[in-house]
Amino acid sequence: MASVPSLASTVQQRLAEGLSAALPEAGSADPLLRRSDRADFQANGILALAKRLKGNPRELATQVVGAIPANDLLKEIEVSGPGFLNITVTDEAIVRTLAARAADDRLGVPFAENAGTTVIDYAQPNVAKEMHVGHLRSAVIGAAMVEILEFTGEKVVRRHHIGDWGTQFGMLIQYLIEHPHELDHSSGEEVSGEEAMSNLNRLYKASRALFDSDEEFKTRARARVVDLQAGDEQTLALWQRFVDESKIYFYSVFDKLDMDIRDPDVVGESGYNDMLVETCRILEESGVAVRSNGALCVFFDDVKGPDGNPTPLIVQKSDGGFGYAATDLSAIRDRVRNLKATTLLYVVDARQSLHFKMVFETARRAGWLNDEVKAVQLAFGTVLGKDGKPFKTREGETVRLVDLLDEAIDRAASVVREKARDLTEDEIAERGAQVGIGAVKYADLSTSAARDYKFDLDQMVSLNGDTSVYLQYAYARIKSIFGKAGERTPLAHPELELAPAERALGLHLDQFGETVAEAAAEYAPHKLAAYLYQLASLYTTFYDQCPVIKPEPPQEVAENRLFLCDLTARTLHRGMALLGIRTPERL
């Protein structure tokens, strides 16, 4: 495994050397290199430098160009405008760099130098409740970040902080005690997620109705909460039945989402119960939290309510009960102390930003977070309907996630069926699932997480535009070329002159590693999605302008073009996998 320096980093280094040679007084100045539409790259660092050295930027730029020795990397450096450098690299350098990438399993992408341990908290459904469209983003964005971070060499610990504790369990467990067969299954066979959820739904509705209408049941249900919190064995055993039944359902949904969720990674709110008292004690003894009207609170100068009074984070209520804050703070202690996290990443709805800001600040005051250990909320926006309003059914209900996924798969299967020439019904069904689920994930991941996005299935499964279907078809098209290539094999030919579409594709292929590093560092999977869409677009132009098979180009040209096709396919395949999206070989 060899990491391959990108052309940009090599050019940057040559320019930096030229800068220090021409202007030793400049110290180590940054050439500020970026991609450009005028040339391959543009460097505009000399402008700031000229200001600092009180010189003429064009003259300084000319001096720097003169100080760079002739080499096989830089074809042309031109001083333009007030002192920009426009830089063109040689075709040979492009092909040699890509050949080094192609020789490596990881496409030459280096591991991050300062890799640590990230605990990522994502995909957090609630026990005994149906997953709706609001649960989609945490799962999809979180799963992509797991893949991206692991690929850069980070050790990633997954945590699914499911809602499995709280007062509603008193009502559910009491109802089950009084109606003992409500969670029984009709047959001894394996239970489907759908059956498990309909059981839970029925029980939830029935117990809620009773709780609201029958005062005596309400009293028994409230007493049951006390038993649960006190660890009464019978009550805990029944609570566990709700958790197990819910997991059958969760796992069926995650399975449909083509996501790998493992049992040891599911540590719900209940997993931190044993720590709550101690967490409160530490916060109170250290003075981070204070008693106010009987409740244990943490106050902040910059968090005030509409009345101008401070709004505290309530760690323990005046009746002795614990709020979410106590659980979240205990989870931080556990993740830092026992899981040895250097980063805590929370993929949570932006509407909870204030809560997490207060929790993180409390943890910093307590010393659990510091310069070595940071917590970050990857906050995401809301899923909207086509009308731009929060997504609801016609009846105004929240949309069930399973229904959405099934519809996406159906739509995708009909798109695949229309285009498929030689696929069997089974293959169409399998590809339909890969295309439909890919479409849902990509629509989410190609939007910056912080923004709301419209859930529009027609748009998502379209073959045109910025969709995963477009990317999947680009990949399948490349694979089909290899079916027709006959004896010819992909082979890099650095001695050839490249056509403009080949150069554009090659320069973009070379940026894969930098894009992955940026997506990892900024927790921004949409940057990787944008890169892949651009890759597929550049490939489409290359395919239109540069014949690979017919009309048949000279052998070396054909081999070099097949080499570009192969590296494009591998980059698409790897990049899509990092987003959690399948790339079928045939569509």
Side-chain angles (χ1 to χ4, degrees):
M1 262 179 359
S3 76
V4 177
S6 68
L7 288 162
S9 64
T10 316
V11 169
Q12 169 101 357
Q13 199 183 340
R14 294 284 159 88
L15 287 180
E17 287 161 8
L19 269 170
S20 346
L23 309 162
E25 67 275 27
S28 56
D30 186 350
L32 295 178
L33 191 73
R34 57 185 180 85
R35 285 297 304 275
S36 160
D37 43 11
R38 300 251 160 79
D40 296 337
F41 299 98
Q42 185 177 67
N44 46 22
I46 292 177
L47 297 179
L49 191 62
K51 213 176 207 167
R52 210 175 81 207
L53 300 177
K54 302 190 173 32
N56 173 328
R58 270 195 78 98
E59 282 172 18
L60 290 182
T62 312
Q63 273 176 276
V64 171
V65 174
I68 295 173
N71 57 64
D72 54 3
L73 169 72
L74 303 171
K75 183 178 178 182
E76 188 185 4
I77 308 184
E78 163 202 49
V79 178
S80 87
F84 297 125
L85 297 181
N86 285 339
I87 299 142
T88 306
V89 293
T90 63
D91 292 353
E92 181 186 351
I94 294 175
V95 178
R96 283 196 190 286
T97 302
L98 295 182
R101 293 201 176 288
D104 177 48
D105 260 0
R106 292 173 50 84
L107 304 173
V109 178
F111 288 108
E113 283 168 22
N114 47 357
T117 298
T118 294
V119 176
I120 174 164
D121 186 324
Y122 70 108
Q124 312 104 338
N126 291 314
V127 165
K129 287 204 183 135
E130 188 125 34
M131 288 174 75
H132 55 79
V133 66
H135 290 112
L136 182 65
R137 299 206 73 183
S138 175
V140 169
I141 296 168
M145 280 319 309
V146 168
E147 296 300 327
I148 292 169
L149 288 168
E150 281 186 337
F151 186 61
T152 63
E154 187 78 0
K155 181 184 174 202
V156 177
V157 182
R158 305 161 161 138
R159 276 293 172 266
H160 307 293
H161 190 86
I162 62 172
D164 65 354
W165 203 247
T167 51
Q168 76 275 18
F169 284 101
M171 167 184 99
L172 292 167
I173 292 167
Q174 190 58 35
Y175 188 85
L176 190 58
I177 287 173
E178 296 173 21
H179 305 80
H181 298 296
E182 284 296 304
L183 279 185
D184 294 354
H185 296 134
S186 46
S187 63
E189 290 152 37
E190 213 170 299
V191 185
S192 71
E194 201 61 34
E195 189 192 332
M197 195 61 238
S198 78
N199 262 346
L200 289 164
N201 260 341
R202 196 181 58 246
L203 201 145
Y204 191 86
K205 283 183 180 141
S207 64
R208 181 88 242 179
L210 197 58
F211 187 85
D212 290 341
S213 63
D214 181 337
E215 280 303 319
E216 288 179 354
F217 176 75
K218 191 183 256 185
T219 306
R220 293 196 297 277
R222 289 196 165 141
R224 187 60 59 185
V225 178
V226 178
D227 294 339
L228 177 65
Q229 289 175 338
D232 170 65
E233 266 182 41
Q234 181 206 11
T235 308
L236 277 177
L238 291 170
W239 167 80
Q240 190 62 50
R241 281 190 68 184
F242 283 100
V243 175
D244 293 342
E245 192 81 5
S246 299
K247 278 185 177 176
I248 296 172
Y249 161 70
F250 297 157
Y251 292 166
S252 74
V253 179
F254 290 127
D255 196 45
K256 191 165 281 194
L257 266 171
D258 195 13
M259 271 173 57
D260 168 33
I261 295 232
R262 294 172 265 195
D263 220 47
D265 302 334
V266 179
V267 182
E269 294 168 3
S270 64
Y272 305 100
N273 284 349
D274 296 349
M275 299 174 70
L276 300 178
V277 172
E278 193 186 3
T279 297
C280 291
R281 183 179 60 72
I282 295 171
L283 291 173
E284 191 168 10
E285 285 179 2
S286 61
V288 172
V290 294
R291 291 276 165 195
S292 172
N293 300 329
L296 186 62
C297 301
V298 183
F299 288 92
F300 307 88
D301 294 339
D302 55 347
V303 185
K304 294 188 168 55
D307 55 4
N309 290 329
T311 305
L313 181 71
I314 298 175
V315 187
Q316 190 178 21
K317 296 183 269 218
S318 53
D319 65 4
F322 299 101
Y324 287 123
T327 307
D328 288 333
L329 288 162
S330 298
I332 290 178
R333 282 177 57 216
D334 173 60
R335 291 164 185 186
V336 173
R337 199 177 57 191
N338 300 327
L339 302 177
K340 305 286 183 260
T342 47
T343 304
L344 305 176
L345 183 62
Y346 291 79
V347 188
V348 185
D349 191 315
R351 287 171 291 198
Q352 295 189 44
S353 294
L354 180 61
H355 169 76
F356 279 101
K357 186 182 155 194
M358 291 158 82
V359 165
F360 296 163
E361 175 56 30
T362 301
R364 264 192 292 277
R365 291 179 188 175
W368 303 326
L369 299 175
N370 49 44
D371 294 345
E372 275 71 62
V373 185
K374 63 175 182 179
V376 183
Q377 183 192 358
L378 202 180
F380 54 82
T382 308
V383 182
L384 308 173
K386 275 188 196 180
D387 57 2
K389 298 190 177 114
F391 203 6
K392 299 269 192 258
T393 61
R394 288 206 185 99
E395 298 75 45
E397 301 278 315
T398 46
V399 181
R400 296 171 68 217
L401 185 51
V402 175
D403 293 343
L404 265 190
L405 300 179
D406 286 342
E407 194 184 338
I409 291 169
D410 286 348
R411 294 277 186 93
S414 57
V415 171
V416 173
R417 182 175 281 109
E418 257 168 57
K419 299 275 289 186
R421 298 195 185 88
D422 51 355
L423 296 178
T424 65
E425 274 304 310
D426 282 354
E427 287 174 320
I428 289 173
E430 183 200 20
R431 305 290 196 286
Q434 294 179 344
V435 171
I437 295 301
V440 169
K441 288 182 177 179
Y442 186 84
D444 191 318
L445 294 169
S446 56
T447 310
S448 158
R451 289 176 45 200
D452 301 344
Y453 82 101
K454 284 187 188 167
F455 196 95
D456 179 349
L457 276 176
D458 297 322
Q459 171 55 39
M460 287 179 189
V461 298
S462 160
L463 292 165
N464 306 315
D466 187 2
T467 64
S468 65
V469 192
Y470 174 68
L471 297 171
Q472 286 168 322
Y473 269 98
Y475 178 79
R477 180 199 273 172
I478 302 174
K479 286 300 187 186
S480 75
I481 289 174
F482 285 98
K484 301 171 194 151
E487 298 295 294
R488 282 161 299 192
T489 52
L491 193 61
H493 284 279
E495 73 283 1
L496 291 177
E497 197 175 316
L498 297 177
E502 293 174 309
R503 292 190 95 244
L505 178 63
L507 284 164
H508 191 69
L509 280 167
D510 185 49
Q511 284 181 285
F512 179 60
E514 285 168 359
T515 306
V516 170
E518 202 176 318
E522 296 174 21
Y523 307 121
H526 69 280
K527 295 202 165 173
L528 177 57
Y531 169 88
L532 295 170
Y533 173 59
Q534 181 77 29
L535 179 60
S537 309
L538 288 166
Y539 180 78
T540 304
T541 308
F542 158 81
Y543 184 80
D544 292 343
Q545 294 178 6
C546 304
V548 182
I549 309 288
K550 287 188 173 125
E552 191 168 338
Q555 186 178 342
E556 283 87 359
V557 174
E559 288 173 344
N560 199 55
R561 285 178 182 169
L562 278 171
F563 161 73
L564 287 171
C565 289
D566 182 53
L567 189 57
T568 302
R570 285 174 59 195
T571 306
L572 275 173
H573 175 73
R574 170 71 77 178
M576 292 287 265
L578 293 179
L579 296 177
I581 299 173
R582 305 259 174 196
T583 36
E585 309 257 316
R586 279 169 52 231
L587 272 175

